[in-house]
Each structure stands twice: as structure tokens, then as C-alpha cells.
Amino acid sequence: MKVIYHCFGGSHSSVLAANLHVGNLSIDHFPTRRELFNLPYFDRTTDDDFGIIKLVGFDEWGNQVYSLGQMHLGHRFHTIIKSLLTVTGTDNQVALMGTMPHVNLLMMIGGNLSRKRSLPSLGRPLLYWGTRLAYPNIIQAVQEVKNTLRLRGIAG
Amino acid sequence: MKVLFIGYSTAWDAMAAALGYLRQPIDANPWFGDYNLEQKGAIEVGVDRLGREVYVLGSSRPQLVKKVVEELIKVGYPRADAVEVIVLQLPGQKRVSQMLRLARWPLLGTISKQYIAKWAAKQGRIWWQTGQSLSLKIK
């Protein structure tokens, strides 16, 4: 089973969710600035990374957990990819989860300044506080995915 | 094996090229120009002479969709031999995408739909012929 978290740039919320899923981040406390910005792929992707599925790690059942940047495909992305998986008969092998609904304005502005405008010194503080605010919602989304996997009895 | 045509629009460029590829008439096909298809995912259009199911899909970023499919294949699902992706590069294709955005607007929608239908009727023949020539190349 593959679990893919996707967001606009594949750099922040999806990376955060994937790291929460595999246990690299604690659900009990928010990571320090250093822990957050040292996460693999977090706030590090470039335009070339759009569409690339990056392995973040493995969860407790051995499922591979990935992050992905969907760019401007928006809500259509889920429909498109889900339908492709369905027509190839592999939709039960891949779980897709969009994290954009949990992204707040601070994260958007901070992420844009840091990645798109190459101004990390301005963007990262906003990103840090935005991520802090979004953290509980992203934890909840990840737990919902894990509950679904548990209910489906997916173990690897 | 499935064959997937990706264009800027499910109902216009991708549909016309796929129908040409399948050598089916474009004018009588009820799907050609059906705006409702734009909100859906991949649509099966028919089966080619090699027995492969042919699907069409529209996206504002066809190359990105292709890249994601290739990435999915790399991670294991679907298998590489399960799907062949053809990103269409056809004349006037980009305009379809732009006009479709206008078609969603309440007032401009009707006008733009009429315009796109007229314009696509001309272009459709070219797209259809492109699909036909693809059927000769694709083995």
C-alpha cells in the first residue's frame, strides 16, 4: 500500500503530514524551528519537484508514505489521479490525501516567499507560525487516514 | 493495457483525437463538446484495433499529469505495462483551456460556449486527423 499526501508545492503541508504519519514528528508537541526545517524535503523543493512523488518513510504497518506537489491542478488533481488508478485497477493500492484544506494564509504567504521568491529569511518565520497554527488540523487529517487504513485492515 | 489521451479538455481536443485514433466519426458522437465531462476523470471512449481500452482526460496541465502518472508507475502502481499515456500537442489546444475557464461564468458562459463550439468544429477535424495519424504510429 502507498499513502500519498499532496499539496500545492509538495514542500510544506504534505511533507508535514507524511512525517507525522511515519512518526518522524510527535503528535503531542509542536517541533522546534530546527526540527521542523531539518525535516527531509520540508521547505526545500524547487519547481522541478512538482509532480515528483517523494518517499518520506514507512508507517507502522510497512506502508510507504510519500509527499507530492500537485501545482495548479487543485481539486481536479484528486479526481484525475483517482480515476487513473481506478481504470488501471490499482485504486485500492494507493491512498491519496490532499492537505491543502488545512493550509492557512500564513503558510501560503510564508511558503511563497521562501520557495517562489527565494526569500527564506522573510518566509520562514511566517511559515513556522502558520504551520504551528495548522498543526492540530494536519494531525487530525493524518489520524483519519490512519484510522481508514486500520479499518481496511491494511498492513503493508 | 489502457491507452490514455491527455489534452487540455476531456470533451474537445482529447476526445476528438481519441475518436480519430479509433476511427470513429466525430460529428455524431454525443461526448464531443459535452461540458459535463470536464468535471470527471478519465472517460473510456472505446477499444482500439489492438484490443486496448482508450481513455480521454483533460487537464490544465497535461504534462504535469503525465509526470505524476510516470511517478506512480515508478512507485509501483499502476504497472508500467498497464497504461500508455499520450499527451496531445495539437494546434489551437491552449485556447480550448482558456475558453473553458470563461465557460464557467454565468454571463460569459453561453457566449463562450457558442464561440468554442464553432471554433472547435473547425479545429476538431484537425484534432481528429491527428488522432488518425497517431493510430498509424502507435503499435
Side-chain angles (χ1 to χ4, degrees):
Chain A
M1 182 81 182
K2 322 282 179 185
V3 182
I4 302 173
Y5 290 95
H6 58 92
C7 64
F8 179 86
S11 192
H12 303 116
S13 59
S14 63
V15 173
L16 198 70
N19 275 290
L20 276 162
H21 188 119
V22 300
N24 289 344
L25 289 173
S26 167
I27 58 167
D28 300 323
H29 67 272
F30 187 68
T32 64
R33 196 177 295 246
R34 175 179 284 218
E35 283 171 335
L36 186 66
F37 288 102
N38 278 342
L39 284 175
Y41 308 120
F42 189 83
D43 198 41
R44 287 190 203 172
T45 52
T46 65
D47 284 359
D48 294 335
D49 292 316
F50 287 130
I52 292 182
I53 300 173
K54 290 165 294 205
L55 180 65
V56 173
F58 296 82
D59 67 11
E60 56 265 49
W61 304 292
N63 298 315
Q64 293 169 333
V65 182
Y66 299 87
S67 69
L68 166 68
Q70 69 192 37
M71 220 172 142
H72 293 286
L73 288 176
H75 68 279
R76 278 274 290 153
F77 177 84
H78 205 89
T79 311
I80 288 170
I81 301 304
K82 198 79 190 161
S83 75
L84 289 175
L85 292 169
T86 303
V87 302
T88 53
T90 51
D91 53 325
N92 57 349
Q93 302 295 330
V94 180
L96 285 171
M97 176 70 192
T99 54
M100 279 309 287
H102 311 295
V103 173
N104 53 44
L105 195 60
L106 279 175
M107 285 181 82
M108 283 184 200
I109 296 170
N112 185 282
L113 286 172
S114 180
R115 304 317 310 150
K116 188 90 179 164
R117 313 283 166 208
S118 302
L119 294 168
S121 53
L122 281 179
R124 284 191 168 191
L126 295 177
L127 192 54
Y128 183 76
W129 285 105
T131 306
R132 192 178 185 116
L133 290 172
Y135 203 61
N137 293 335
I138 294 176
I139 289 173
Q140 196 181 341
V142 170
Q143 284 178 333
E144 279 169 21
V145 171
K146 291 184 116 174
N147 285 340
T148 308
L149 293 176
R150 208 174 280 125
L151 286 172
R152 283 162 66 179
I154 309 278
Chain B
M1 167 69 96
K2 326 275 178 184
V3 181
L4 175 68
F5 284 80
I6 307 179
Y8 280 96
S9 156
T10 305
W12 296 104
D13 54 348
M15 182 65 72
L19 291 172
Y21 172 73
L22 293 169
R23 295 170 185 272
Q24 290 179 11
I26 188 173
D27 302 326
N29 194 289
W31 284 336
F32 182 65
D34 182 350
Y35 288 93
N36 296 323
L37 299 185
E38 301 301 337
Q39 297 308 316
K40 295 180 179 169
I43 307 285
E44 188 183 349
V45 184
V47 179
D48 72 6
R49 61 200 156 89
L50 300 173
R52 305 180 299 183
E53 291 167 13
V54 177
Y55 291 82
V56 292
L57 178 65
S59 165
S60 56
R61 312 264 168 171
Q63 290 292 352
L64 183 65
V65 174
K66 185 182 184 193
K67 192 172 172 185
V68 173
V69 174
E70 286 169 351
E71 284 288 311
L72 283 167
I73 288 169
K74 273 190 210 166
V75 302
Y77 299 107
R79 289 200 334 263
D81 58 357
V83 62
E84 179 173 1
V85 180
I86 300 160
V87 175
L88 298 164
Q89 289 177 324
L90 308 171
Q93 201 179 7
K94 184 86 183 168
R95 194 176 297 176
V96 174
S97 164
Q98 290 161 346
M99 292 302 292
L100 278 170
R101 281 185 204 156
L102 287 179
R104 287 190 219 128
W105 294 28
L107 290 173
L108 285 172
T110 315
I111 301 166
S112 73
K113 277 180 185 176
Q114 283 172 350
Y115 176 84
I116 199 172
K118 204 181 277 181
W119 174 74
K122 263 193 254 168
Q123 292 290 329
R125 183 64 47 191
I126 300 168
W127 297 334
W128 188 79
Q129 283 164 353
T130 309
Q132 275 211 319
S133 57
L134 270 174
S135 75
L136 300 173
K137 286 184 203 160
I138 297 169
K139 293 265 164 69

